[in-house]
């Protein structure tokens, strides 16, 4: 009798333990597993996004660097800053000189800074005169650059007492021996002179 009762009790306890194991434990591990998986995934995603962003920035800087360095001028043109310059030794009037520059996808020289003016005159022959892209089409001293750059009185390089004649509507760059200096002078547009062309550098 006693052994049978003990067996029955043991049997009952074993059943209750096994049934508890089936009902409760599965829920807890699932929650812990999902939390463990979600927490590390966010930092990994953030790190990957930052890595992609840095890579894109590096590529952009590299392209900008290559674009800056791989620029050139056509043969016989001289580079300065972001532009190219060409001296035409053929004697033409002002209009023909501008057409010649346009045929080379350029225009007569437009001077924007003193540094640019200094670069132009550095290696030029002092004997001839050179047309630049400045003119006064109506003879009213309304000076205009061929590329529509606004005329700026503070960035001009006229010789002393120039411009001097309302009928002289085009401008040359030439060297005066007294005093010894380069400067601008207004002349009749039908005179024949050499010319200076300017274009933006070619970027590869």
């Amino acid at each position: 009798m006693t052994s049978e009762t003990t067996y029955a009790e043991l049997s009952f306890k074993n059943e209750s333990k096994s049934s508890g194991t089936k009902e409760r434990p599965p829920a807890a591990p699932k929650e812990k597993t999902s939390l463990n998986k979600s927490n590390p995934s966010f930092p990994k995603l953030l790190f990957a996004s930052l890595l992609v962003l840095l890579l894109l920035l590096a590529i952009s800087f590299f392209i900008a660097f290559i674009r800056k360095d791989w620029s050139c001028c056509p043969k016989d043109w001289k580079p300065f800053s972001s532009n190219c310059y060409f001296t035409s030794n053929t004697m033409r009037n002002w209009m023909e000189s501008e057409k010649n520059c346009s045929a080379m996808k350029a225009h007569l020289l437009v001077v924007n800074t003193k540094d640019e003016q200094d670069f132009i005159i550095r290696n030029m022959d002092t004997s001839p005169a050179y047309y630049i892209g400045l003119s006064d089409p109506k003879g009213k001293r309304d000076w205009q650059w061929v590329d529509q750059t606004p005329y700026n009185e503070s960035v001009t390089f006229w010789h002393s007492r120039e411009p001097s004649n309302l009928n002289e509507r085009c401008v040359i760059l030439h060297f005066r021996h007294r005093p010894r200096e380069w400067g601008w002078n207004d002349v009749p547009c039908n005179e024949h002179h050499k010319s200076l062309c300017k274009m933006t550098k070619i970027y590869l």
Side-chain angles (χ1 to χ4, degrees):
M1 292 290 289
T2 304
S3 62
E4 287 180 3
T5 303
T6 303
Y7 179 80
E9 287 175 358
L10 289 173
S11 177
F12 178 76
K13 288 179 180 178
N14 288 338
E15 285 180 4
S16 63
K17 283 182 181 178
S18 63
S19 63
T21 305
K22 289 180 181 177
E23 290 176 3
R24 293 178 184 175
K30 284 183 180 176
E31 290 178 3
K32 288 180 181 177
T33 304
S34 61
L35 288 172
N36 289 336
K37 286 183 179 178
S38 61
N39 285 339
S41 65
F42 179 74
K44 286 180 181 178
L45 182 62
L46 181 62
F47 177 76
S49 300
L50 289 173
L51 191 63
V52 170
L53 180 61
L54 288 172
L55 183 61
L56 290 173
L57 285 172
I59 292 171
S60 300
F61 281 121
F62 179 74
I63 291 172
F65 178 79
I66 291 296
R67 179 174 173 80
K68 181 180 178 182
D69 279 7
W70 287 91
S71 60
C72 62
C73 293
K75 184 181 178 182
D76 298 327
W77 290 65
K78 295 180 180 180
F80 176 74
S81 186
S82 58
N83 299 299
C84 305
Y85 302 84
F86 177 76
T87 302
S88 174
N89 292 317
T90 303
M91 307 288 281
R92 300 182 177 91
N93 63 35
W94 189 91
M95 187 63 68
E96 290 170 345
S97 297
E98 171 57 13
K99 287 181 180 178
N100 178 60
C101 292
S102 295
M104 295 184 285
K105 298 182 180 180
H107 54 72
L108 279 172
L109 174 66
V110 173
V111 181
N112 294 309
T113 64
K114 185 179 186 303
D115 287 343
E116 186 174 24
Q117 169 87 355
D118 291 343
F119 166 77
I120 293 298
I121 65 178
R122 199 170 295 150
N123 298 307
M124 289 177 60
D125 188 350
T126 58
S127 298
Y130 305 84
Y131 273 125
I132 65 173
L134 188 62
S135 66
D136 175 23
K138 298 179 181 179
K140 296 181 179 180
R141 286 303 178 250
D142 180 22
W143 297 105
Q144 298 177 13
W145 289 108
V146 289
D147 69 344
Q148 307 305 312
T149 296
Y151 178 72
N152 185 354
E153 284 281 358
S154 64
V155 190
T156 58
F157 304 95
W158 294 104
H159 278 302
S160 177
R161 299 180 183 178
E162 299 293 344
S164 60
N165 191 326
L166 290 175
N167 294 319
E168 297 175 345
R169 301 180 183 179
C170 292
V171 180
I172 56 170
L173 172 65
H174 76 117
F175 185 81
R176 278 185 179 175
H177 293 274
R178 293 184 181 178
R180 295 180 62 82
E181 63 181 10
W182 285 92
W184 301 352
N185 188 62
D186 56 339
V187 296
C189 297
N190 59 0
E191 286 187 2
H192 284 66
H193 298 286
K194 296 182 179 183
S195 57
L196 296 163
C197 300
K198 175 181 177 179
M199 69 185 300
T200 302
K201 277 183 179 178
I202 301 167
Y203 290 94
L204 303 177

